[in-house]
Amino acid sequence: MTPSQNNNEAENTSGQTKKVPYHFGEKLRQVREHKGYTLKVVAQQAGVSESLVSQIERNHVSPAIDTLLALADVLDINLEFLFEEYRKERPVKIIRAGERPTLEEEEIIYEEISKPEDTDKQNAFESYMVRIPAHSHTHRGSYGHIGKEMGYIIHGKAKLTYESKEYILEEGDSATFSSGVPHILENVGEDELSAIWIVTPPQRFVN
């Protein structure tokens, strides 16, 4: 970005009332004054106009990223120092063992162990504990659906029928596959089958 472009940025912004979402100005000014640099010196070394630096320091304009990087380089500022208060809190979601939402499909029980993220549909997934009585099998996947799945056998012995092929899964085994073709998980043991299942995009526990 050339100095003339930065001048245009300042002029276009100063002519209207615009909310500046990020306030870097105080920190930039404090560091500049601590180092004994004038606005003119900083502007010349960063390749921007003196008026733009002044407006940024007064939080009258939000700088373009390349402008901010240039100023941080001139002032030898660590970017973490500039952005430390803008770190987004990412919550940890807990589902307690005794509070899992459950679904029943005939005799099969699904217990939700992670809730799909509504705000991130592209990467959304659901995971659940599936419990299948002896000699029973899942039903919904028998016609296939979009997405991918991964299953991990916790207890028991299962048969995964995937299209026309069959796979025997025992405790500790896992399987990963595309959900687009018919697939059935069957309990072929004498004990209840329990498994962890992860599906994307979510299919069962969707509001």
Side-chain angles (χ1 to χ4, degrees):
M1 182 178 288
T2 64
S4 60
Q5 288 174 312
N6 281 302
N7 283 328
N8 291 334
E9 176 186 358
E11 290 167 2
N12 291 338
T13 308
S14 61
Q16 57 184 323
T17 302
K18 183 179 179 181
K19 181 180 178 182
V20 178
Y22 305 113
H23 298 86
F24 305 106
E26 294 90 346
K27 290 185 176 182
L28 292 171
R29 187 184 68 253
Q30 288 171 6
V31 174
R32 178 181 63 78
E33 291 177 347
H34 177 74
K35 291 180 177 290
Y37 294 169
T38 64
L39 285 170
K40 183 176 182 180
V41 167
V42 171
Q44 288 178 338
Q45 293 189 28
V48 297
S49 69
E50 185 176 341
S51 63
L52 178 59
V53 176
S54 176
Q55 290 189 66
I56 292 171
E57 287 192 351
R58 288 179 289 148
N59 293 313
H60 288 176
V61 60
S62 184
I65 187 63
D66 56 345
T67 301
L68 182 62
L69 292 174
L71 293 172
D73 184 54
V74 170
L75 296 171
D76 193 24
I77 296 177
N78 190 313
L79 291 179
E80 288 189 2
F81 169 70
L82 282 178
F83 287 95
E84 60 185 353
E85 64 263 44
Y86 302 113
R87 290 177 180 170
K88 182 179 179 182
E89 287 191 16
R90 293 170 173 82
V92 175
K93 297 182 178 180
I94 306 294
I95 298 179
R96 301 297 178 186
E99 301 173 356
R100 293 175 186 158
T102 61
L103 289 176
E104 293 187 26
E105 292 180 359
E106 297 185 13
E107 69 281 9
I108 300 172
I109 298 175
Y110 299 88
E111 299 180 10
E112 186 178 38
I113 57 177
S114 75
K115 188 170 293 295
E117 180 57 64
D118 295 334
T119 60
D120 190 9
K121 296 186 183 300
Q122 181 178 356
N123 299 309
F125 67 92
E126 67 181 353
S127 57
Y128 48 80
M129 175 93 69
V130 57
R131 301 184 185 277
I132 306 176
H135 312 298
S136 186
H137 62 81
T138 59
H139 304 279
R140 181 177 292 195
S142 59
Y143 49 80
H145 55 83
I146 63 170
K148 294 183 179 180
E149 300 187 23
M150 190 284 286
Y152 176 83
I153 306 301
I154 296 176
H155 178 75
K157 184 177 181 179
K159 179 174 71 174
L160 174 65
T161 302
Y162 186 74
E163 205 165 22
S164 60
K165 294 184 179 181
E166 296 181 348
Y167 304 88
I168 298 298
L169 303 173
E170 303 195 37
E171 293 180 14
D173 292 343
S174 63
T176 305
F177 53 89
S178 170
S179 307
V181 299
H183 51 281
I184 296 173
L185 187 68
E186 180 181 356
N187 184 349
V188 293
E190 298 301 322
D191 299 327
E192 180 184 73
L193 173 70
S194 60
I196 297 291
W197 226 255
I198 299 173
V199 181
T200 181
Q203 299 288 327
R204 285 182 171 81
F205 293 91
V206 180
N207 295 328

